[in-house]
Amino acid sequence: MIRYLLLAVIALGTAFPFYWMVISGFKTNDEIWQFPPTFWPETFLWSNYVDAWNAAPFARYILNSTGVALAICLFQIVNSSMMAYALTHMKFRLKGVLTSLILVGYMIPSTAVYLPSYLVLSELNLLDSYTGLIVSNCVSVFSIFLIRQAFMQVSHELVEAGQLDGASHFRILWTIITPLVRSSFAVMVLITFIEQYNNYFWPMLITKDPDLQLVSAGLRSFFVEGGAYGLAWPQIMAASAFTIAPLLILFLFTQKTIMQSVNITAGVNKN
């Protein structure tokens, strides 16, 4: 009983900031800052959400972030799968060295590669473009290792049986192994999408065109310009609430697969 009460308290504490953000979008500015605080608005001001939506091109920001994040997820699925398959089910010289090099790459802080990445994109004339944003994020060491760990759970005898039947490595990867670990792919896509959807510093560094702004940069612009440095808090809270809607929709569609992945992982650890 105590365990469930503790879990309920932790769950409520985790969900409260989101509740406060959504509900503050319906309040007046004075009502947000009054003390003691109120947890329910005296009057639901739906106009705050309408005003915030009309104050800046949030539809374009959300579309930009969603499109870029989905494209990056797609590229990472392809290259992470192929790399993980090579590291787990193929035999070649220096495989251990290649695995170690990738692991070392994971230890390098992302900020350390900003300057060389910027120079490379500049040489390729990919600055200030969606292509530059996508290409510079299409490889993730974390995704490679996540999928590699999933592929290691697949029996190598299954791969050998596919080879005896004349299947190519490409066919074994996409028709035999990938369906078996689709829950790990769902987790990878969810993590990558959230990371790229909320990505702020790198897109701000390589893009200057306002039409290319992602939702995080657009929200900051609204806070600084449209929000007049925080004077319009109801509109800022409303804008923050509807900009995370794509993340909630993605979680609703993938939560069952994610729970299955957690159960499978727990079962493997238990065994």
Side-chain angles (χ1 to χ4, degrees), residues 171-245:
R171 185 175 180 184
I172 293 172
L173 170 61
W174 295 112
T175 62
I176 298 178
I177 297 182
T178 300
L180 294 176
V181 297
R182 58 182 179 276
S183 56
S184 296
F185 279 102
V187 173
M188 189 204 83
V189 168
L190 182 63
I191 294 174
T192 303
F193 186 88
I194 293 173
E195 179 186 3
Q196 297 301 326
Y197 188 86
N198 293 323
N199 199 0
Y200 173 71
F201 186 77
W202 177 244
M204 282 288 291
L205 186 65
I206 68 171
T207 58
K208 303 299 179 187
D209 188 346
D211 291 337
L212 300 180
Q213 280 190 334
L214 303 187
V215 71
S216 53
L219 195 59
R220 177 190 175 278
S221 300
F222 175 70
F223 178 80
V224 174
E225 299 168 6
Y229 286 97
L231 295 179
W233 279 103
Q235 286 76 19
I236 292 173
M237 290 294 186
S240 302
F242 59 63
T243 53
I244 65 171

Side-chain angles (χ1 to χ4, degrees), residues 24 45 78 104 115 126 154 188 193 200:
S24 295
L45 299 176
V78 174
V104 170
L115 179 58
L126 292 179
V154 179
M188 189 204 83
F193 186 88
Y200 173 71

Side-chain angles (χ1 to χ4, degrees), residues 30 39 107 176 186 242:
D30 294 336
F39 297 98
M107 299 176 183
I176 298 178
F242 59 63

Side-chain angles (χ1 to χ4, degrees), residues 111-151:
T111 51
V113 299
Y114 278 165
L115 179 58
S117 298
Y118 185 92
L119 295 176
V120 170
L121 290 180
S122 177
E123 290 295 325
L124 297 174
N125 293 320
L126 292 179
L127 291 176
D128 211 18
S129 67
Y130 290 132
T131 306
L133 276 173
I134 295 169
V135 169
S136 60
N137 289 287
C138 67
V139 176
S140 167
V141 178
F142 169 76
S143 297
I144 292 172
F145 269 89
L146 180 66
I147 302 303
R148 173 180 174 269
Q149 292 304 111
F151 281 10

